[in-house]
Amino acid sequence: MKFPKSHTLKKLAQLIDCEFVGDENFEVLGMNEIHVVEPGDIVFVDHPKYYDKALNSAATIILINKEVDCPEGKALLISDDPFRDFNKLTNHFKPFVPSSSAISETAKIGKNTIIQPNCFIGNNVTIGDNCVIHSNVSIYDDTIIGNNVTIHAGCVLGASAFYYKNRPEGFDQLKSGGRVIIKDNVDIGAMCSIDRGVTGDTTIGEGSKLDNQIQVGHDTVIGKKCLIASQTGIAGCCVIEDEVTLWGQVGTTSGITIGKKANVLGQTGVTKSIEGGKSYFGTPIEESRVKLKDLAYVKRIPEILKQLKEK
């Protein structure tokens, strides 16, 4: 998430009432999660296990809960609770703005696009030409939809990320200030939910087709010409490369990559990154030819035991 204009390190420290290490005029351009940070971004870290990863990332401002040696060319924001203060920054730069109408006056809707009754179109939404948005679709703020997109009834685009910190008093949610981006020629079936990025974008690539009742988690990027069947659940921060097929009830863990033209058979649990161009099945996931051969061997166990007893 980039800020509308650049800010100084001192200004950001004042916003969250914390100490800083570095030039008070150090330029701050935005804030992002570790997997999408760029120079000028703030990244937060609150566990020693991830200090080095954050300090050595592309981010040049690290919001951290311990004063450590500051890498050359970077700056630190020292906070007793980086998670809380990252939320403060999100609320400041991307506050929730209530809507006063079903279709926001700030929404931009292209030529020949049809919006069916009972839809909600939030603030700063952009919808391209020749789209059909069926009834009872909710499109949250800042979503961008390309041309020739069809979204069927009951879908929700832009809900908050499922991202929580476990505190003694309960779960504390990491605020979502990112977007959903739907590229051209995408079809989305009924009752799908696509969560917005925490600070980045959740993206559905050009020409991809989603069946009914699919969940796409925050910051996930789905490539071009993917086919995703019903009841599939894709966790946050995944990369689904071009021309991947996910059959019904596939589930993934977060942060994995599914390679180009992979074919994942129904009810498979994708527990790790997998190469493209192959077929996969089962939980734990394996190449389908290996998994199916193993299952065939399992079926022969009673026969083998019987033969052993007869000897």
Side-chain angles (χ1 to χ4, degrees):
M1 180 172 69
K2 298 302 181 185
F3 302 148
K5 63 178 183 179
S6 66
H7 293 268
T8 66
L9 182 66
K10 182 178 180 180
K11 173 66 175 176
L12 269 293
Q14 289 172 341
L15 282 175
I16 57 177
D17 191 23
C18 76
E19 301 296 322
F20 64 89
V21 175
D23 183 350
E24 66 178 32
N25 294 315
F26 194 95
E27 188 174 44
V28 186
L29 303 177
M31 53 188 288
N32 269 310
E33 289 185 277
I34 190 72
H35 63 288
V36 288
V37 287
E38 298 174 344
D41 284 345
I42 302 169
V43 69
F44 86 91
V45 60
D46 58 3
H47 194 289
K49 181 179 178 181
Y50 303 110
Y51 284 172
D52 286 345
K53 184 176 181 179
L55 291 165
N56 295 316
S57 71
T60 43
I61 305 93
I62 296 86
L63 176 60
I64 190 169
N65 56 348
K66 182 181 179 181
E67 188 164 345
V68 296
D69 291 336
C70 183
E72 186 176 353
K74 299 191 178 188
L76 305 178
L77 292 164
I78 311 298
S79 164
D80 64 324
D81 192 334
F83 189 100
R84 177 201 65 208
D85 288 338
F86 201 75
N87 273 345
K88 284 184 180 179
L89 292 173
T90 299
N91 284 334
H92 179 84
F93 289 105
K94 186 61 71 172
F96 174 70
V97 179
S99 295
S100 57
S101 59
I103 299 178
S104 171
E105 293 181 357
T106 61
K108 298 177 182 178
I109 299 173
K111 296 179 182 178
N112 302 317
T113 284
I114 297 168
I115 309 292
Q116 294 283 71
N118 298 324
C119 286
F120 170 75
I121 312 293
N123 301 307
N124 304 311
V125 168
T126 299
I127 302 174
D129 301 336
N130 305 309
C131 297
V132 179
I133 313 298
H134 286 277
S135 61
N136 300 311
V137 169
S138 292
I139 302 175
Y140 287 28
D141 295 358
D142 304 310
T143 298
I144 298 175
I145 297 171
N147 302 318
N148 306 307
V149 171
T150 299
I151 302 176
H152 285 279
C155 289
V156 178
L157 275 61
S160 295
F162 188 72
Y163 193 139
Y164 292 86
K165 185 178 182 66
N166 190 3
R167 299 189 187 274
E169 64 274 17
F171 291 106
D172 190 6
Q173 186 174 38
L174 188 64
K175 304 294 184 183
S176 296
R179 305 180 297 179
V180 169
I181 297 179
I182 309 296
K183 301 288 189 176
D184 296 348
N185 304 308
V186 169
D187 292 342
I188 300 175
M191 303 295 289
C192 291
S193 54
I194 302 172
D195 293 343
R196 69 194 305 142
V198 171
T199 54
D201 299 327
T202 303
T203 303
I204 311 297
E206 183 177 353
S208 288
K209 311 297 181 184
L210 277 63
D211 196 359
N212 304 323
Q213 296 180 321
I214 289 168
Q215 157 70 14
V216 180
H218 69 90
D219 295 283
T220 280
V221 177
I222 295 175
K224 299 177 181 178
K225 293 181 66 178
C226 292
L227 285 174
I228 303 177
S230 180
Q231 297 183 357
T232 289
I234 302 172
C237 303
C238 292
V239 175
I240 314 296
E241 295 183 350
D242 297 346
E243 299 182 57
V244 166
T245 299
L246 304 180
W247 292 106
Q249 295 186 335
V250 165
T252 82
T253 191
S254 62
I256 54 95
T257 296
I258 298 178
K260 183 176 181 180
K261 293 187 177 181
N263 180 42
V264 182
L265 302 183
Q267 295 191 328
T268 293
V270 187
T271 54
K272 60 184 179 181
S273 294
I274 55 176
E275 295 179 5
K278 298 178 181 179
S279 179
Y280 296 90
F281 176 62
T283 304
I285 189 171
E286 293 184 80
E287 283 190 57
S288 56
R289 60 185 178 83
V290 174
K291 193 73 170 182
L292 293 171
K293 188 182 291 186
D294 289 346
L295 290 173
Y297 289 146
V298 169
K299 285 185 177 180
R300 292 191 57 201
I301 288 175
E303 176 190 342
I304 294 169
L305 290 174
K306 183 179 178 182
Q307 290 173 354
L308 290 172
K309 288 179 180 178
E310 290 174 351
K311 286 185 178 181

